[in-house]
Amino acid sequence: MGSPLLEVKNLKTYFRTEDGLVKAVDGVSFSLEKGEILGIVGESGSGKSITALTIMGLVQIPPGEIHGGEILFKGRNILALRKSEMRKLRGNEIGMVFQEPMTALNPVYTIGNQIAEAVMLHSDVDRKTAMKRAVEMLERVQIPMAKDVFKRYPHELSGGMRQRAMIAMALCCNPELLICDEPTTALDVTVQAQILKLIDSLRKETGMSVIMITHDLAVVSEIAERVIVMYAGKVLEEGPSSVIFDHPLHPYTEALMKSKPVLGQKKERLYSIRGMVPSPYNRPPGCLFEPRCDCSMKECSQAEPADVIIGNRRVKCIKYCDSKDGNRP
Amino acid sequence: MMIKYIISRIMQSIIVLIGVTLVTFILVNVVPGDAVSLMLAKRTDQATMDRIRHELGFDRPYTEQYLRFLGNAVRGDFGNSYFEKTPVTEMILRGLKYTVRIALWALLLALALGLGAGIVSAYFHNSLLDRVIMFFSTLGISAPVFWLALLFQIFFGLKLKVLPISGVDKPGSFILPVLTLGITNAASIARISRTSLLEIISQDYIRTAKAKGAGELRVVFKHVLKNAAIPIVTFAGLVVRGLLGGSMLVETVFSIPGFGSLMVSSILTRDIPLMQGCVVYGATIFVLINLLVDLAYSALDPRVRLVKET
């Protein structure tokens, strides 16, 4: 097995605000193989989008700061790259699709103009070739009448079409990594399925790797091979999607699964995790999920548990720590 | 598509102008105080007054009077001023000559200064520089324009003795009015362009542009400015209207025989043809600027085209 395409090691992205330091991403590690789809799930504010933006180099500094860690893309630490080098990477080798197709496209330029711009930014082609390439890309994301859509403005297209156009834009330079930040959240369910299918088939076609960020467990279980579960800036659990949802290890993953509505099953009340995500200004000293956890123990609130590797899975919970682990104070 | 939109906007403008002439006509006739007796200062007998009324057509039915007024107005003929006995159009054009000249320079100054300050403020937002610029722009917005004009007169005219403080004949006599109007409007433009730029910079599509790998300059000049220009154009339209409609206060302070002064004096002397002429010319200018602003909009923002077509 070769080295992974992307390796994130102990990444810490903090924000300095007037109210204090926010540790949006706090020691996140994961890796991604070539051609693999990795799902990142978590509630809003769990740091999944900031992780993606950090990889893209799009975190505003200040107020943001990369407090530590490494992001190895094809073996190169891209956190150490100069601005101009990072710019060559963005949109070229790493593409990104955003959550809101309604607002992620510039309203005053045509779809074609915006895709052609991306082509021209990274390859030495004239306007005509770039435009031809843009039409080709629109066809590839299965937009009917691509030549017509090319000349349209974003407000003239439906949400699904806009998201397809976004994907076309992200893929026009054949990136090796595509980051999708909640690509289907703003779309209705039938369109969601189409977009997911499209992303999956494009991945098979090009052999690119995909990071799929979502809070929707159904999306992840449908498309991702491996999943990491994030909570308050940390990875609580990682494992293959085939097992992680059926047999969750971490109490948080378990609770997430329980709060997912199941079709055809009439429950009196949907399960909800009690309490709230801890305030970013005032994180508990021990396990971050401890205040809301149904199986918390006395030790949980004392120190943060270490990662435990169980087979091809990883979990951050004291339940799986050996007593001799030296994890307790 | 675009041509259809332009034609429909022009038709709308014509309807507005007809409305303006109608309202002016009604107002002038409703207001108490007879023009003829005012003109002659009641120094003649009733028979002479009736004769003059007849000559001026004031004894005709209102509809006939209005249609004649409208017909002449279309040809740019508003009759002669009661007091100066010269054609109203000629007087208005003479006034506009000064007003337009001041307005254009003031607009240029306001845009250059305002946009420059706004862009700098937005780029370095929340810095000390930004705060200083915004402090002065708030000051500029709050200061009454005639007060600013007086200050300039005192400082440049009386203290430094470098610029004439009134009139239009001496060299450099336009500098102070232009400076006054330019600075007041620049203050508002700075504020609006700063707000607008900051709002656009935080939009999702700016992040998309960065994610494409666009450099900072490209992001600002291609993606930010065109979007930010929309509210700025609206406001610039308002500024032009204000300036061309005659900045009465400034023209009064600097004794400039411009359009604004003309309108004020026509009202004070109840010079009806002149008053009507001023109102119609003023309205035409407003409608024209509105039309231009709207056309600029649809050039900048494709969404406007869609809304207006349906």
Side-chain angles (χ1 to χ4, degrees):
Chain A
M1 205 174 83
S3 59
L5 179 74
L6 179 78
E7 231 183 323
V8 175
K9 289 181 177 169
N10 201 20
L11 181 67
K12 290 178 178 171
T13 308
Y14 295 171
F15 289 88
R16 272 182 205 290
T17 70
E18 277 173 20
D19 300 317
L21 190 67
V22 174
K23 299 178 174 178
V25 175
D26 196 14
V28 165
S29 305
F30 62 87
S31 70
L32 181 67
E33 301 296 327
K34 283 193 181 78
E36 186 186 28
I37 299 192
L38 173 74
I40 302 183
V41 283
E43 293 167 80
S44 337
S46 60
K48 50 196 197 308
S49 290
I50 299 298
T51 306
L53 289 177
T54 311
I55 297 171
M56 289 295 284
L58 289 178
V59 171
Q60 273 283 345
I61 298 172
E65 62 172 67
I66 312 297
H67 196 74
E70 279 184 327
I71 299 175
L72 301 173
F73 181 70
K74 296 200 281 188
R76 231 172 15 147
N77 183 9
I78 58 177
L79 286 177
L81 288 183
R82 266 183 285 131
K83 260 187 175 176
S84 57
E85 292 174 307
M86 195 59 214
R87 200 157 65 226
K88 275 183 210 147
L89 216 65
R90 270 205 295 271
N92 191 20
E93 293 181 65
I94 309 177
M96 185 154 179
V97 174
F98 294 98
Q99 177 174 2
E100 285 285 339
M102 306 294 157
T103 54
L105 288 162
N106 195 328
V108 301
Y109 292 107
T110 59
I111 300 286
N113 179 320
Q114 297 186 52
I115 300 176
E117 184 192 8
V119 176
M120 282 162 74
L121 277 170
H122 296 291
S123 50
D124 221 358
V125 294
D126 58 3
R127 196 155 190 89
K128 236 181 173 167
T129 322
M131 277 157 69
K132 232 178 89 192
R133 172 96 181 123
V135 175
E136 266 170 43
M137 282 315 299
L138 288 173
E139 279 163 358
R140 237 172 99 193
V141 295
Q142 294 156 19
I143 286 184
M145 296 188 293
K147 277 212 178 81
D148 180 55
V149 170
F150 180 88
K151 284 181 263 169
R152 300 219 164 260
Y153 288 95
H155 70 269
E156 298 175 284
L157 302 182
S158 68
M161 281 296 161
R162 284 184 226 189
Q163 198 57 295
R164 280 172 199 268
M166 272 298 295
I167 294 171
M169 192 169 12
L171 294 185
C172 66
C173 296
N174 291 322
E176 289 170 70
L177 171 61
L178 177 69
I179 302 177
C180 302
D181 187 2
E182 310 245 9
T184 58
T185 307
L187 306 173
D188 60 53
V189 186
T190 46
V191 182
Q192 263 185 26
Q194 291 168 8
I195 295 288
L196 289 178
K197 236 188 194 158
L198 175 71
I199 292 173
D200 199 31
S201 75
L202 288 169
R203 174 194 60 118
K204 282 182 190 130
E205 223 176 285
T206 59
M208 65 181 176
S209 311
V210 177
I211 294 180
M212 177 69 65
I213 295 170
T214 180
H215 66 262
D216 188 340
L217 299 170
V219 167
V220 164
S221 55
E222 190 162 327
I223 190 169
E225 290 152 8
R226 218 150 38 82
V227 177
I228 63 179
V229 179
M230 281 186 73
Y231 182 79
K234 290 183 192 291
V235 177
L236 294 190
E237 183 165 0
E238 177 187 343
S241 65
S242 51
V243 294
I244 197 165
F245 295 128
D246 294 337
H247 307 285
L249 292 177
H250 199 283
Y252 177 60
T253 319
E254 204 180 326
L256 268 188
M257 290 311 295
K258 266 202 268 180
S259 49
K260 188 176 125 187
V262 180
L263 203 65
Q265 214 177 78
K266 244 192 188 152
K267 277 193 226 165
E268 280 184 0
R269 247 191 129 135
L270 209 53
Y271 177 83
S272 69
I273 307 176
R274 69 186 156 86
M276 302 241 291
V277 180
S279 150
Y281 305 110
N282 189 19
R283 293 264 160 90
C287 171
L288 294 172
F289 189 58
E290 183 271 330
R292 309 172 73 185
C293 186
D294 285 336
C295 36
S296 77
M297 300 178 269
K298 206 179 87 220
E299 297 92 324
C300 289
S301 59
Q302 282 163 3
E304 196 193 317
D307 284 343
V308 181
I309 310 281
I310 303 168
N312 55 2
R313 305 176 67 173
R314 171 165 68 126
V315 60
K316 202 191 262 305
C317 179
I318 207 162
K319 277 206 293 188
Y320 305 96
C321 291
D322 294 335
S323 51
K324 56 182 189 285
D325 203 57
N327 196 22
R328 290 168 212 173
Chain B
M1 243 164 34
M2 190 72 184
I3 290 170
K4 226 169 99 187
Y5 171 61
I6 295 174
I7 290 173
S8 82
R9 281 296 284 110
I10 292 175
M11 297 303 284
Q12 281 172 24
S13 309
I14 291 172
I15 294 170
V16 169
L17 284 179
I18 291 176
V20 168
T21 58
L22 191 61
V23 170
T24 326
F25 181 80
I26 293 172
L27 280 179
V28 164
N29 282 289
V30 160
V31 172
D34 178 67
V36 175
S37 52
L38 204 79
M39 194 163 58
L40 301 171
K42 289 178 182 156
R43 273 186 309 239
T44 44
D45 55 296
Q46 189 62 36
T48 322
M49 287 205 342
D50 285 345
R51 193 171 50 78
I52 292 172
R53 274 207 188 95
H54 179 72
E55 274 172 16
L56 291 172
F58 285 160
D59 54 349
R60 312 298 303 169
Y62 282 137
T63 41
E64 196 188 316
Q65 284 190 46
Y66 172 67
L67 286 178
R68 204 176 50 183
F69 163 66
L70 187 65
N72 289 336
V74 169
R75 278 174 269 143
D77 177 11
F78 292 95
N80 289 348
S81 156
Y82 287 162
F83 299 97
E84 290 204 21
K85 309 291 179 206
T86 42
V88 164
T89 309
E90 206 182 295
M91 292 171 72
I92 290 175
L93 287 180
R94 210 188 313 140
L96 276 178
K97 204 176 75 187
Y98 299 119
T99 303
V100 168
R101 200 158 142 201
I102 291 172
L104 285 184
W105 284 110
L107 178 71
L108 250 147
L109 179 67
L111 281 177
L113 210 64
L115 278 179
I119 291 173
V120 168
S121 246
Y123 195 82
F124 299 104
H125 77 113
N126 287 342
S127 68
L128 185 66
L129 186 62
D130 174 29
R131 268 162 226 205
V132 169
I133 291 175
M134 280 306 115
F135 172 75
F136 278 105
S137 98
T138 311
L139 212 63
I141 294 169
S142 324
V145 64
F146 60 86
W147 178 75
L148 205 62
L150 288 172
L151 280 190
F152 281 157
Q153 282 182 325
I154 293 170
F155 187 71
F156 291 105
L158 302 179
K159 283 256 161 67
L160 298 180
K161 293 193 176 31
V162 286
L163 289 169
I165 56 171
S166 71
V168 285
D169 314 320
K170 288 165 230 126
S173 50
F174 283 110
I175 294 180
L176 284 185
V178 165
L179 215 57
T180 311
L181 288 168
I183 285 177
T184 346
N185 287 307
S188 318
I189 290 179
R191 206 151 248 287
I192 284 181
S193 47
R194 174 185 184 267
T195 315
S196 161
L197 285 168
L198 283 180
E199 193 198 312
I200 300 299
I201 283 171
S202 64
Q203 293 291 321
D204 285 354
Y205 52 81
I206 298 306
R207 193 180 55 189
T208 308
K210 287 181 189 158
K212 265 193 259 188
E216 206 157 311
L217 282 179
R218 194 184 175 82
V219 168
V220 170
F221 283 100
K222 178 168 177 181
H223 295 274
V224 177
L225 275 187
K226 197 172 172 192
N227 281 288
I230 297 165
I232 299 174
V233 165
T234 317
F235 189 75
L238 278 172
V239 169
V240 177
R241 273 175 279 182
L243 290 172
L244 282 183
S247 324
M248 291 156 213
L249 288 172
V250 172
E251 285 183 3
T252 308
V253 173
F254 291 106
S255 320
I256 291 161
F259 181 71
S261 319
L262 201 63
M263 182 138 60
V264 173
S265 73
S266 79
I267 294 167
L268 292 179
T269 58
R270 200 156 297 176
D271 191 339
I272 289 171
L274 185 58
M275 202 197 302
Q276 284 175 328
C278 283
V279 172
V280 174
Y281 268 100
T284 312
I285 289 169
F286 268 52
V287 167
L288 274 181
I289 302 291
N290 272 343
L291 186 66
L292 282 180
V293 167
D294 276 5
L295 293 182
Y297 264 175
S298 61
L300 282 172
D301 190 346
R303 287 165 296 182
V304 174
R305 273 171 248 165
L306 187 85
V307 173
K308 290 282 166 72
E309 272 157 26
T310 47

